[in-house]
């Protein structure tokens, strides 16, 4: 089969002919119908410091996927050949304290598809049964692979209980753009999006933002204050991982408000905890992955009932062979979600 393989340490990846993988007893094999590129794939492709520490080449890249089950292992009971599935990418051990207390997504021995295992940028991929999410066949394959990052956005926005609230979304990459649509669907009153990139601010507009701000050209705290009658927002979703953005977000929250952090800073971040968190009574919530499988139920429902339109966020679609074009776009940032179709 053809696959996008991270062959060795260093920049890039290669389209290669590789053997179709074996299907273990607790695994299912899928014929891949659609995949999407995540920021993590770009980290691996560009071989940054995180990739150097976490990836052992050679490895097939990719983890956001939808496909048809073509083979099941002897012990598989919940999925049949012919089912249309997506993959939860957090592979839990099922044994640890977190798994036993309903927090599989932050399993103590977590493995991640396409990071610790071969991934899905290929004709076929093998998934553990425990992460094979059965899709409603009414959901198009091109949307089904995007449910995984949509789950990140849902988890982040749910942390803020946003109905009726004023919300600031910091960073409008695919995660922030999906979060904008989710905040709108879950009933936020005013949604402000802070993002330096004009192309992405335009998509935020299409996803239902009320106000788009360029934080490099405008004073975000002042804009937020003016837009909320001097009060500040009730909730901030930090979706950039940028240290400046994180501080700007914190200072835009009203006392007693909340901030959920999905963005991953690449270095340690300096915060004024006394002034910006403790004396303001701010609740900070870290978000890792998606709650399993609550966010999948909600993602599927939002898509199927047309409460969330993914079209503005899905900006490009390429055949798998042209993965490098997708990676180039990820680098310059003038994109939303990019699909790769085998
Ligand atoms: P992305 O890099 O495409 O988007 C980040 C956006 O932040 C960019 O559009 C960038 O222009 C913007 N930005 C940069 N500086 C800013 C500033 N000062 N103010 C506002 N915005 C600013 O990434 P993504 O795929 O959308 O993911 C968002 C973040 O979430 C990344 O840090 C990613 O690593 C992280 N992530 C975390 C998890 C998790 O489980 N916690 C899962 C997926 C992604």
């Amino acid at each position: 089969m053809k696959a996008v393989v991270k062959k060795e340490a260093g920049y890039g990846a290669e389209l290669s002919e590789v053997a179709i993988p074996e299907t273990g007893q607790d695994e299912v094999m899928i014929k891949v119908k659609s995949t999407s590129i995540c920021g993590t794939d770009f980290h691996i492709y560009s071989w940054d410091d995180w990739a150097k520490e976490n990836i052992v080449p050679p490895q097939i890249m990719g983890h956001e996927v939808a496909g048809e089950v073509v083979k099941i292992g002897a012990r598989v009971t919940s999925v049949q050949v012919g089912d249309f599935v997506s993959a939860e990418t957090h592979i839990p051990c099922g044994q640890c304290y977190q798994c036993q207390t309903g927090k599989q997504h932050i399993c103590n021995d977590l493995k991640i598809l396409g990071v610790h295992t071969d991934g899905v940028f290929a004709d076929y991929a093998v998934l553990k049964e425990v992460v094979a999410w059965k899709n409603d066949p009414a959901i198009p394959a091109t949307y089904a692979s995007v449910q995984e990052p949509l789950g990140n956005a849902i988890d982040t926005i749910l942390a803020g209980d946003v109905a009726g609230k004023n919300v600031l979304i910091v960073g409008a990459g695919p995660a922030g753009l999906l979060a904008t649509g989710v905040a709108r669907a879950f009933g936020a009153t005013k949604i402000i999006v802070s993002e330096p990139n004009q192309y992405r601010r335009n998509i935020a507009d299409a996803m239902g933002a009320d106000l788009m701000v360029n934080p490099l050209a405008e004073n975000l705290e002042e804009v937020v204050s003016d837009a909320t009658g001097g009060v500040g927002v009730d909730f901030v979703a930090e979706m950039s991982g940028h240290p400046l953005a994180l501080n700007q977000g914190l200072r835009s929250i009203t006392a007693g408000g909340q901030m959920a952090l999905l963005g991953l800073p690449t270095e340690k971040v300096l915060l004024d905890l006394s002034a910006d968190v403790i004396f303001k009574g701010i609740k900070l919530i870290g978000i890792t992955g998606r709650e399993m499988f609550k966010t999948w139920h909600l993602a599927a429902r939002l898509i199927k009932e047309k409460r969330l339109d993914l079209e503005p966020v899905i900006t490009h679609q390429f055949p798998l062979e042209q993965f490098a074009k997708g990676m180039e776009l990820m680098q310059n940032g003038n994109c939303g979600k990019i699909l790769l179709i085998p």
Side-chain angles (χ1 to χ4, degrees):
M1 65 173 189
K2 65 177 181 300
V4 177
V5 181
K6 183 80 195 175
K7 278 252 166 85
E8 51 201 27
Y11 190 88
E14 275 179 37
L15 188 78
S16 304
E17 277 296 321
V18 300
I20 293 179
E22 296 294 319
T23 307
Q25 294 201 331
D26 61 348
E27 292 176 333
V28 305
M29 185 193 289
I30 61 169
K31 168 105 187 68
V32 176
K33 300 283 185 205
S34 182
T35 71
S36 32
I37 304 180
C38 170
T40 302
D41 302 317
F42 185 70
H43 290 304
I44 297 171
Y45 186 81
S46 59
W47 204 243
D48 66 5
D49 289 343
W50 175 86
K52 284 175 198 159
E53 275 179 28
N54 288 280
I55 303 297
V56 184
Q59 186 170 292
I60 298 173
M61 293 179 57
H63 59 265
E64 296 177 10
V65 68
E68 185 186 332
V69 176
V70 289
K71 196 171 177 182
I72 61 171
R75 291 211 209 108
V76 171
T77 55
S78 63
V79 181
Q80 308 288 320
V81 169
D83 283 347
F84 169 44
V85 301
S86 290
E88 164 55 53
T89 50
H90 284 201
I91 307 167
C93 73
Q95 310 293 329
C96 69
Y97 178 74
Q98 281 70 24
C99 285
Q100 289 178 347
T101 53
K103 301 187 188 83
Q104 308 178 71
H105 66 297
I106 45 174
C107 165
N108 212 20
D109 189 22
L110 191 68
K111 301 282 182 289
I112 298 180
L113 181 66
V115 171
H116 303 112
T117 71
D118 270 329
V120 300
F121 290 166
D123 290 324
Y124 295 90
V126 166
L127 310 174
K128 292 280 182 204
E129 177 185 14
V130 67
V131 296
W133 168 259
K134 261 203 270 187
N135 286 311
D136 186 318
I139 294 180
T142 48
Y143 290 1
S145 77
V146 179
Q147 288 174 110
E148 194 260 17
L150 178 55
N152 292 135
I154 291 173
D155 225 4
T156 310
I157 295 298
L158 276 185
D161 191 14
V162 297
K165 293 188 177 158
N166 290 331
V167 172
L168 170 65
I169 293 173
V170 180
L177 292 169
L178 291 168
T180 304
V182 172
R184 181 51 73 225
F186 286 177
T189 300
K190 186 172 277 184
I191 303 172
I192 305 168
V193 174
S194 173
E195 166 60 54
N197 179 324
Q198 175 72 53
Y199 181 95
R200 290 180 162 183
R201 286 202 302 278
N202 291 344
I203 306 177
D205 189 13
M207 291 305 287
D210 297 293
L211 187 59
M212 285 75 63
V213 186
N214 177 353
L216 306 184
E218 298 170 79
N219 182 322
L220 180 63
E221 290 159 64
E222 277 176 25
V223 173
V224 169
S225 177
D226 289 348
T228 57
V231 172
V233 289
D234 302 289
F235 175 67
V236 173
E238 206 309 298
M239 319 293 273
S240 78
H242 197 284
L244 173 69
L246 214 154
N247 274 291
Q248 286 177 326
L250 260 185
R251 286 197 290 269
S252 303
I253 314 178
T254 195
Q258 296 183 329
M259 182 168 190
L261 304 152
L262 180 96
L264 294 169
T266 50
E267 58 207 55
K268 288 184 182 162
V269 175
L270 197 62
L271 299 177
D272 187 344
L273 282 177
S274 300
D276 293 339
V277 179
I278 299 165
F279 287 128
K280 280 175 76 179
I282 301 293
K283 190 172 173 187
L284 293 179
I285 307 149
I287 305 290
T288 299
R290 304 137 295 278
E291 214 178 291
M292 290 158 66
F293 279 87
K294 176 177 165 185
T295 52
W296 285 86
H297 283 282
L298 295 176
R301 214 177 277 171
L302 287 175
I303 295 171
K304 190 161 175 241
E305 303 303 333
K306 300 194 179 356
R307 299 288 164 179
L308 175 71
D309 182 9
L310 292 176
E311 281 304 314
V313 181
I314 300 176
T315 54
H316 299 83
Q317 177 170 325
F318 298 113
L320 187 63
E321 290 81 351
Q322 293 177 23
F323 67 93
K325 267 195 191 172
M327 295 296 173
E328 265 169 45
L329 276 164
M330 294 286 287
Q331 181 144 35
N332 78 30
N334 283 341
C335 61
K337 259 294 158 207
I338 300 170
L339 306 183
L340 297 176
I341 312 292

